[in-house]
Amino acid sequence: MEATKDVKTKSMTMVQAVNDALRVALEQDDNVLLLGEDIGRNGGVFRATDGLQKQFGEDRVIDTPLSESGIVGTAVGLAISGSKPIVEMQFMGFVYPAYEQIMTHVSRIRMRSMGNYSVPMVIRAPYGAGIRAPEIHSDSVETLFTHMPGIKVVCPSTPREAKGLLLASLADPDPVLFMEALRLYRGEREEVEVDGYEIEIGKANKVADGNDVTLLAWGAMVPVTKKAAAEVEAEGITCEVIDLRTLFPLDKEMIAESVQKTGRAVIVHEAHATGGLGNDLISLINDTSFLSMRSPIERVTGFDVPVPLGSLEDHYIPSVSRVVEAIRKTVQF
């Protein structure tokens, strides 16, 4: 359930909220284990697990060899045997060696065993550009997993959502890929409940009400989209901003309701345009709301190139100005 307001809170960044969610999970359930490269003694490359090995011991916060496939494969066996492993990929771009394990085992055990076994595990994957990281450190490849039946895909945009959605992901009986936007790790602070709480998976969040255009975004693109909506408001254009939060399963009802209300939609995502989740959102809107549309759907995305290195990555990431241009285009159609 959503947490209430009458509770003790603490100001946290997103990475601190992730750390706090892991602390709560380890305290509440002895079956929870953390596995990953450098997550123990070093506290993780982004310090998301800082201090947890010292508090809970090496048997529960486990430094693994540099083998993504081995880490995920081990976690599958642990999950089937009654543990609740939380795996950290240092970067989402490092998940590729483990893709075979995720596709052929993590996502299929429930079906393969005819419901006799499930895989209650979480794969944490820091993703995205904006921190001047080297090659393969800045990828946004969520659609590799939204196309994979059997695994949920979650992507928070605020510290409070990060904690609540991570705890909900761990409580889910099936596997979850949990995407954490690198540029949001220390981007803002927010009051976050100290105790454990869950935010329901599969439910989007209406960030702002509006009547003229629906803006759909997630993760690091939510702040960009909010700034664009604020900019066009001075022009008399009001935008309904929807943070998807869960990329699979999508909150189809909220998306359809909003688009039918506004008659226009702009989709914003950091991933490449071709094969991006925006394409599925366009299909969803056409299936549910085509006759309500007053203009073509616009997309603002990354480009169909590898994410460039530091000096060029700001040109790759969708900007406020590009989103504003798309809003104006759909309104002026």
Side-chain angles (χ1 to χ4, degrees), residues 238-250:
T238 63
C239 297
E240 189 146 284
V241 181
I242 305 295
D243 177 0
L244 296 185
R245 298 201 296 198
T246 303
L247 309 185
F248 187 85
L250 290 167

Side-chain angles (χ1 to χ4, degrees), residues 62-117:
I62 304 166
D63 280 315
T64 66
L66 302 181
S67 173
E68 287 78 15
S69 179
I71 298 167
V72 173
T74 300
V76 172
L78 288 167
I80 293 173
S81 302
S83 297
K84 295 182 179 179
I86 303 175
V87 169
E88 178 183 295
M89 297 286 113
Q90 282 192 340
F91 295 86
M92 193 169 194
F94 294 0
V95 79
Y96 306 129
Y99 189 80
E100 187 273 336
Q101 286 282 356
I102 299 170
M103 170 62 86
T104 60
H105 299 295
V106 172
S107 65
R108 296 174 185 259
I109 294 297
R110 178 182 288 280
M111 182 274 294
R112 182 179 295 149
S113 67
M114 300 179 68
N116 288 301
Y117 294 96

Side-chain angles (χ1 to χ4, degrees), residues 24 34 48 53 74 79 105-106 125 131 133 183 192 210 254 264-265 270 284 303 333:
V24 169
L34 309 187
Q53 188 180 76
T74 300
H105 299 295
V106 172
I131 65 166
R183 65 194 298 202
V192 178
M254 181 178 287
R264 303 180 181 93
E270 187 175 330
L284 170 62
F303 301 107
F333 176 79

